Amino acid sequence: DSGVTQTPKHLITATGQRVTLRCSPRSGDLSVYWYQQSLDQGLQFLIQYYNGEERAKGNILERFSAQQFPDLHSELNLSSLELGDSALYFCASSPAISGANVLTFGAGSRLTVL
Amino acid sequence: DQQVKQNSPSLSVQEGRISILNCDYTNSMFDYFLWYKKYPAEGPTFLISISSIKDKNEDGRFTVFLNKSAKHLSLHIVPSQPGDSAVYFCAAVTGGYQKVTFGIGTKLQVIP
């Protein structure tokens, strides 16, 4: 158990729908990151939050949004889902915002869009 | 534009032998490099890292080598064990905020 909790583990939904993925960071970590891993792709950075504020954005689609709440858990919202959104979504956390911090990953949420 | 490249999707090695996983990068601004290991149904876990001011870092059976002029790093596992069978991701970090860029991974199989 890495200490980073992601729910749900698996999710199957239809095109056009909206889903929310949830992440609880490791105790004491203030930064939360979201990554997407599609088939045969590396881990694509989506977005980073630090202590409730958005700090960095990567290749995140406009249909996707995220936020970090006061209790530091984070949610990734995916809307108007398309077949190509099927992927593993990982959340990671780290203690700080910068520097060579090691990310601690959750087990991921597997999204299947039919 | 893939800034971190792992050109070998898979690698098979006999138990006890050396495993060498390679990674190339294009962004000269990367100043810290990491390797993560991922088992099925689990998230990636940190394995070893190296700063750009060094050319080698060792941790037990794992050694990472960095050749900045060639923009190349490699992970050596000696001796390889069946439990090392996993997907290995190379990652690179630019200074300032924590933007970590990952490669697509290399699947290592260690054959008993």
Side-chain angles (χ1 to χ4, degrees), chain B residues 16-111:
Chain B
R17 300 289 193 120
I18 183 172
S19 295
I20 300 176
L21 295 94
N22 293 304
C23 177
D24 297 295
Y25 62 96
T26 57
N27 188 345
S28 58
M29 298 301 290
F30 289 141
D31 56 8
Y32 202 78
F33 303 89
L34 309 96
W35 285 92
Y36 283 81
K37 179 169 71 173
K38 184 184 180 303
Y39 292 118
E42 296 181 12
T45 56
F46 169 73
L47 186 59
I48 193 169
S49 63
I50 187 167
S51 165
S52 61
I53 63 174
K54 295 187 175 183
D55 55 19
K56 177 182 174 181
N57 188 28
E58 193 171 350
D59 184 1
R61 298 185 297 112
F62 303 91
T63 303
V64 55
F65 295 92
L66 175 63
N67 182 333
K68 281 176 56 180
S69 60
K71 293 191 176 68
H72 176 83
L73 65 156
S74 60
L75 173 68
H76 292 210
I77 307 173
V78 184
S80 300
Q81 299 174 353
D84 296 329
S85 297
V87 176
Y88 289 79
F89 290 98
C90 173
V93 184
T94 49
Y97 69 87
Q98 180 79 46
K99 181 176 180 181
V100 185
T101 304
F102 285 83
I104 65 171
T106 295
K107 185 174 183 179
L108 172 66
Q109 182 185 22
V110 180
I111 303 165

Side-chain angles (χ1 to χ4, degrees), chain A residues 33 35 37 40-43 45 48 55-57 88 90 94 97-108, chain B residues 2 32 34 36 38 41-46 49 87 89 93-105:
Chain A
Y33 310 76
Y35 283 85
Q37 185 185 20
D40 294 333
Q41 296 290 317
L43 293 159
F45 171 68
Q48 177 200 2
R55 287 295 181 168
K57 243 180 180 178
L88 260 174
F90 288 102
S94 73
I97 189 175
S98 64
N101 290 303
V102 171
L103 304 183
T104 301
F105 282 83
Chain B
Q2 203 172 0
Y32 202 78
L34 309 96
Y36 283 81
K38 184 184 180 303
E42 296 181 12
T45 56
F46 169 73
S49 63
V87 176
F89 290 98
V93 184
T94 49
Y97 69 87
Q98 180 79 46
K99 181 176 180 181
V100 185
T101 304
F102 285 83
I104 65 171

Side-chain angles (χ1 to χ4, degrees), chain A residues 43-70:
Chain A
L43 293 159
Q44 300 292 321
F45 171 68
L46 296 178
I47 198 164
Q48 177 200 2
Y49 282 84
Y50 176 76
N51 204 20
E53 293 188 12
E54 180 185 308
R55 287 295 181 168
K57 243 180 180 178
N59 303 321
I60 187 166
L61 300 172
E62 286 191 11
R63 300 183 286 108
F64 295 1
S65 64
Q67 58 184 127
Q68 186 180 28
F69 295 87

Side-chain angles (χ1 to χ4, degrees), chain A residues 82-98:
Chain A
E82 301 175 358
L83 295 177
D85 297 328
S86 296
L88 260 174
Y89 292 84
F90 288 102
C91 170
S93 70
S94 73
I97 189 175
S98 64

